[in-house]
Coordinates of all heavy atoms in Angstrom, one line a residue:
R328 N -15.3 1.1 10.7 CA -13.9 0.8 11.1 C -13.1 2.0 10.8 O -13.4 2.9 10.0 CB -13.4 -0.3 10.2 CG -14.0 -1.7 10.6 CD -13.3 -2.8 9.8 NE -13.4 -2.6 8.4 CZ -13.0 -3.5 7.5 NH1 -12.4 -4.6 7.9 NH2 -13.2 -3.4 6.2
T329 N -12.0 2.1 11.6 CA -11.0 3.2 11.3 C -10.3 2.9 10.0 O -10.2 1.8 9.6 CB -10.0 3.3 12.4 OG1 -9.2 2.1 12.5 CG2 -10.6 3.6 13.8
L330 N -9.8 4.0 9.4 CA -9.2 3.8 8.1 C -7.9 2.9 8.2 O -7.7 2.1 7.3 CB -8.7 5.2 7.5 CG -9.8 6.2 7.3 CD1 -9.3 7.4 6.5 CD2 -11.0 5.6 6.6
L331 N -7.2 3.0 9.3 CA -6.1 2.1 9.5 C -6.4 0.7 9.6 O -5.8 -0.2 9.0 CB -5.3 2.6 10.7 CG -4.0 1.8 11.0 CD1 -3.0 1.9 9.8 CD2 -3.3 2.4 12.2
A332 N -7.5 0.4 10.4 CA -7.9 -1.0 10.6 C -8.5 -1.5 9.3 O -8.3 -2.7 9.0 CB -9.0 -1.0 11.7
A333 N -9.1 -0.7 8.5 CA -9.7 -1.1 7.3 C -8.7 -1.6 6.2 O -8.8 -2.6 5.6 CB -10.6 0.0 6.7
V334 N -7.6 -0.8 6.1 CA -6.6 -1.1 5.1 C -5.8 -2.4 5.5 O -5.4 -3.2 4.7 CB -5.7 0.1 4.7 CG1 -4.8 0.4 5.9 CG2 -4.9 -0.3 3.5
E335 N -5.6 -2.5 6.8 CA -4.9 -3.7 7.3 C -5.8 -4.9 7.0 O -5.2 -5.9 6.5 CB -4.8 -3.6 8.8 CG -4.1 -4.8 9.4 CD -4.3 -5.1 10.9 OE1 -5.4 -4.6 11.4 OE2 -3.5 -5.7 11.5
S336 N -7.1 -4.9 7.2 CA -7.9 -6.0 6.9 C -7.9 -6.4 5.5 O -8.0 -7.6 5.1 CB -9.3 -5.8 7.4 OG -10.0 -4.8 6.6
K337 N -7.8 -5.4 4.6 CA -7.8 -5.7 3.1 C -6.5 -6.4 2.7 O -6.4 -7.3 1.9 CB -8.0 -4.4 2.4 CG -9.4 -3.8 2.5 CD -9.5 -2.4 2.0 CE -10.9 -1.8 2.3 NZ -11.0 -0.4 1.9
L338 N -5.3 -5.9 3.3 CA -4.1 -6.5 2.9 C -3.9 -7.9 3.5 O -3.2 -8.7 2.9 CB -2.9 -5.6 3.4 CG -2.8 -4.2 2.7 CD1 -1.5 -3.5 3.2 CD2 -2.7 -4.4 1.2
I339 N -4.5 -8.1 4.6 CA -4.4 -9.4 5.2 C -5.0 -10.5 4.3 O -4.5 -11.7 4.3 CB -5.2 -9.5 6.6 CG1 -4.3 -8.7 7.7 CG2 -5.4 -10.9 7.0 CD1 -5.0 -8.6 9.0
T340 N -5.9 -10.1 3.4 CA -6.6 -11.1 2.5 C -5.6 -11.6 1.4 O -5.9 -12.6 0.8 CB -7.8 -10.5 1.9 OG1 -7.4 -9.5 1.0 CG2 -8.8 -10.0 2.9
C341 N -4.5 -10.9 1.2 CA -3.7 -11.3 0.0 C -2.2 -11.2 0.3 O -1.4 -11.6 -0.6 CB -4.0 -10.4 -1.2 SG -3.8 -8.6 -0.9
C342 N -1.8 -10.8 1.5 CA -0.3 -10.8 1.8 C 0.1 -11.8 2.8 O -0.8 -12.2 3.7 CB 0.0 -9.4 2.3 SG -0.2 -8.1 1.1
D343 N 1.3 -12.3 2.8 CA 1.8 -13.2 3.7 C 1.9 -12.6 5.1 O 1.6 -13.2 6.1 CB 3.1 -13.8 3.3 CG 3.0 -14.7 2.1 OD1 2.5 -15.8 2.2 OD2 3.4 -14.2 1.0
Q344 N 2.4 -11.4 5.2 CA 2.5 -10.7 6.4 C 2.3 -9.2 6.2 O 2.7 -8.7 5.1 CB 3.8 -10.9 7.1 CG 3.9 -10.3 8.5 CD 5.2 -10.7 9.2 OE1 6.1 -11.3 8.6 NE2 5.4 -10.2 10.4
V345 N 1.7 -8.5 7.1 CA 1.4 -7.1 6.9 C 2.2 -6.3 8.0 O 2.3 -6.6 9.1 CB -0.1 -6.7 7.1 CG1 -0.3 -5.2 6.9 CG2 -0.9 -7.5 6.0
F346 N 2.8 -5.2 7.5 CA 3.6 -4.3 8.3 C 3.0 -2.9 8.3 O 2.5 -2.5 7.2 CB 5.1 -4.2 7.9 CG 5.8 -5.5 8.0 CD1 5.7 -6.6 7.1 CD2 6.7 -5.7 9.1 CE1 6.4 -7.8 7.2 CE2 7.4 -6.9 9.2 CZ 7.2 -7.9 8.3
V347 N 3.1 -2.2 9.3 CA 2.6 -0.8 9.4 C 3.7 0.1 9.9 O 4.3 -0.1 11.0 CB 1.4 -0.6 10.2 CG1 0.9 0.8 10.2 CG2 0.2 -1.5 9.7
V348 N 4.0 1.2 9.2 CA 5.0 2.2 9.7 C 4.2 3.2 10.4 O 3.3 3.9 9.9 CB 5.8 2.8 8.5 CG1 6.8 3.8 9.1 CG2 6.5 1.8 7.7
L349 N 4.5 3.4 11.7 CA 3.9 4.4 12.6 C 5.0 5.4 13.1 O 6.2 5.0 13.1 CB 3.2 3.8 13.7 CG 2.0 2.8 13.4 CD1 1.5 2.2 14.7 CD2 0.9 3.6 12.7
G350 N 4.5 6.6 13.5 CA 5.4 7.6 14.0 C 4.7 8.4 15.0 O 4.8 8.2 16.2

Side-chain angles (χ1 to χ4, degrees):
R328 290 187 297 187
T329 62
L330 300 191
L331 182 55
V334 69
E335 180 202 24
S336 69
K337 293 169 186 175
L338 291 187
I339 285 174
T340 68
C341 56
C342 296
D343 291 286
Q344 186 174 2
V345 178
F346 294 79
V347 179
V348 181
L349 297 178

